[in-house]
Amino acid sequence: MRMRRKKHGPERIAACSEYLICPDKDMPGVLHDPSEWFPDRRPVFLEIGCGKGGFASSYAASHPECNLIAVERVPDVACLALEKAKAGRGERQSDNLRILIANAQDLTRLFCEHSFAGIFLNFSDPWPKKGYAKRRLTHRLFLEQYRRLLSDHGLLYFKTDNEPLFDFSLEEFAAAGLSVEQISRDLHEDTSIKDNIMTEYESNFVSQGKPIFYAKVRFEKDHAGTTD
Ligand SMILES: C[S@@+](CC[C@H](N)C(=O)[O-])C[C@H]1O[C@@H](n2cnc3c(N)ncnc32)[C@H](O)[C@@H]1O
């Protein structure tokens, strides 16, 4: 997500510091149990590439039984997610939402193995050029990192408007030996998939009449696929 540089970005981020987690600053080089940042121990979910944080705020409000860490690598964008998290505090029964400014590729160096119950990838950047395939968040190298982060039987929830990225992702899931439990090539017309929470990008695509592609993928503990 491109964004014009924000005036007073650092100050605005600092004003929401109760919702920001800074693992490197708190204890550099240490792997963290994500529950450290929440007052109550609950299953912790990750959203990677949260953008402005609409999904994260709605998910946290509608799932008080879970904790959610929403990750965004662009500080000016994460600032908007933080402000949304702060503004939505009154809508949440639980203090269960935190924002992390980080790149997805660093998550296994920040968090303990098998410490997340699920991961959401919502409208990840498609990186259409072949030479950039390794940057796609469903590339098998990222899937191996998710395998380390997710608990046994952990789930990956993936949504995109981009059919080539979706087809690429299905190939990567198969190569990694993962089972796709639910799949839809038109999520909003599929009555078998309940309780979808829309993201900012999704609302935009749906208003243009575009279909949304969806897959729910299960990670089993000792099932390693090919990684070459
Ligand atoms: C296309 S936007 C989608 C935003 C939001 N999920 C939505 O659906 O409205 C993708 C977001 O992922 C972030 N992103 C891309 N690659 C990332 C990475 N490697 N680590 C963390 N965030 C990333 C981008 O900065 C951008 O904000």
Side-chain angles (χ1 to χ4, degrees), residues 123 160-163 185-189 198 201-213:
F123 301 88
T160 182
D161 63 302
N162 188 300
E163 191 165 19
R185 287 183 176 271
D186 196 348
L187 171 64
H188 290 261
E189 289 299 316
M198 293 245 263
Y201 269 64
E202 186 171 357
S203 302
N204 192 19
F205 293 132
V206 169
S207 69
Q208 294 171 34
K210 290 190 175 174
I212 303 301
F213 298 82

Side-chain angles (χ1 to χ4, degrees), residues 54-148:
F55 173 89
S57 279
S58 299
Y59 185 86
S62 56
H63 291 83
E65 75 288 1
C66 300
N67 291 326
L68 176 67
I69 296 179
V71 182
E72 172 54 53
R73 72 171 173 191
V74 179
D76 284 348
V77 181
C79 176
L80 300 176
L82 275 162
E83 289 178 338
K84 197 165 279 169
K86 188 174 178 179
R89 177 67 190 100
E91 289 151 31
R92 294 193 291 277
Q93 282 174 49
S94 308
D95 183 11
N96 63 345
L97 175 59
R98 297 290 181 272
I99 310 294
L100 167 67
I101 303 174
N103 194 312
Q105 71 195 18
D106 295 327
L107 294 172
T108 50
R109 140 186 114 60
L110 299 175
F111 295 110
C112 301
E113 286 199 353
H114 309 307
S115 49
F116 291 95
I119 295 177
F120 297 100
L121 295 178
N122 292 322
F123 301 88
S124 307
D125 294 335
W127 294 107
K129 286 189 186 161
K130 208 175 167 191
Y132 288 149
K134 285 187 180 173
R135 297 187 190 185
R136 298 175 194 152
L137 293 181
T138 49
H139 188 277
R140 62 195 70 184
L141 294 175
F142 276 110
L143 298 179
E144 283 316 307
Q145 297 198 33
Y146 306 154
R147 189 189 296 285
R148 286 166 61 189

